[in-house]
Amino acid sequence: MIPVMEIFGPTIQGEGKVIGRKTMFVRTAGCDFRCSWCDSKFTWDGSMKEAIRMMTAEAIYAELREIGGPSFNHVTISGGNPALIKAIGTLVDLLHAEGCEVALETQGSKFQTWMRDIDQLTLSPKPPSSNMQQNLTLLDEDISQLDPSKINLKVVVFDEADYQFAKQIHHRYLGLPFYIQVGNPYLEDDVNDHTAKLLERYEELIARVMQDAEMNNVYVTPQLHTLLWSNRKGV
């Protein structure tokens, strides 16, 4: 059984290598990190524990089709940290059998064998501003067990310490596609001029990277869904 917080879509993927991709979302409950700026704290802080449903892979797929009909062939598994859940392997197998590609993001703190079957796997180690201590040895071990053609790295940046951490990660794994993403510090439900504020931060990050000869082979991205829909859930 898989602990599911919400199923929604079709929408667009807002982050990492699959940014802009039309997709459905399955958001799971539970996380081993407690990031200070997490935009989905409700998956682990207990505030929406009554919304958690224990579901089989078949029930999840049936609901995806009930909501999305025939209008998708790509599913993003999100969280929380879905890599904590061994049973997700059954869902990945079912989605593939039904002709869907599967994307997933995790911080790289836990390895599951089914992660080898994810089509687009984003490893997103957490920078200093998260107030979490990323274990890079565990991240090394995860990467060593995965097909490099299926994985990419993403670091969210809020400040200079985060930027230096991003450089460290990029140069530790130079052979992997690397995405540096501007952080969203405005997590209230209703933020005035949210898009304009985020675009200003995005422009600042672009300017920082453009001047850095050690960051020539990176992708500088926004969190696309927040530019469009602010912090609204279910999109």
Side-chain angles (χ1 to χ4, degrees), residues 6 24 36 69 72 88 98 177 230:
E6 54 181 351
M24 294 289 290
S36 60
F72 72 93
I88 283 180
E98 296 292 343
S230 189

Side-chain angles (χ1 to χ4, degrees), residues 126-188:
K126 304 310 178 189
S129 65
S130 69
N131 293 329
M132 294 290 104
Q133 185 67 42
Q134 184 77 43
N135 187 326
L136 296 185
T137 300
L138 288 179
L139 185 60
D140 290 343
E141 292 174 359
D142 283 2
I143 289 174
S144 72
Q145 299 180 78
L146 295 165
D147 180 350
S149 69
K150 292 185 175 182
I151 62 180
N152 67 96
L153 289 159
K154 186 198 77 179
V155 174
V156 177
V157 170
F158 285 83
D159 55 30
E160 182 61 22
D162 289 358
Y163 184 81
Q164 294 303 321
F165 176 82
K167 286 179 68 170
Q168 176 189 0
I169 295 297
H170 175 43
H171 286 272
R172 190 180 183 97
Y173 311 104
L174 274 175
L176 297 176
F178 184 80
Y179 294 76
I180 184 168
Q181 179 180 297
V182 66
N184 170 24
Y186 314 110
L187 298 179
E188 298 84 4

Side-chain angles (χ1 to χ4, degrees), residues 181-230:
Q181 179 180 297
V182 66
N184 170 24
Y186 314 110
L187 298 179
E188 298 84 4
D189 290 338
D190 188 15
V191 181
N192 291 331
D193 300 320
H194 196 203
T195 297
K197 291 176 179 177
L198 290 177
L199 284 173
E200 182 178 357
R201 292 177 60 84
Y202 182 39
E203 186 174 9
E204 290 171 356
L205 181 59
I206 290 173
R208 182 75 172 84
V209 173
M210 295 308 105
Q211 298 167 6
D212 192 342
E214 296 181 355
M215 296 286 272
N216 287 349
N217 194 29
V218 305
Y219 300 85
V220 188
T221 61
Q223 196 180 38
L224 185 57
H225 55 285
T226 59
L227 292 181
L228 293 169
W229 300 301
S230 189

Side-chain angles (χ1 to χ4, degrees), residues 89-105:
T90 60
L91 177 59
V92 174
D93 290 343
L94 177 57
L95 290 170
H96 282 157
E98 296 292 343
C100 294
E101 291 186 13
V102 184
L104 182 140
E105 179 176 321

Side-chain angles (χ1 to χ4, degrees), residues 2-8 13 18 23-29 57 60 64 74-85 87-96 100-106 114-115 117-122:
I2 299 169
V4 176
M5 294 292 308
E6 54 181 351
I7 298 173
F8 61 92
Q13 171 57 255
V18 284
T23 192
M24 294 289 290
F25 272 85
V26 177
R27 187 183 299 280
T28 61
I60 293 170
L64 285 166
H74 188 278
V75 175
T76 298
I77 303 173
S78 184
N81 183 10
L84 299 176
I85 305 167
I88 283 180
T90 60
L91 177 59
V92 174
D93 290 343
L94 177 57
L95 290 170
H96 282 157
C100 294
E101 291 186 13
V102 184
L104 182 140
E105 179 176 321
T106 175
W114 55 256
M115 288 165 62
D117 300 321
I118 298 296
D119 298 289
Q120 299 101 23
L121 177 60
T122 297

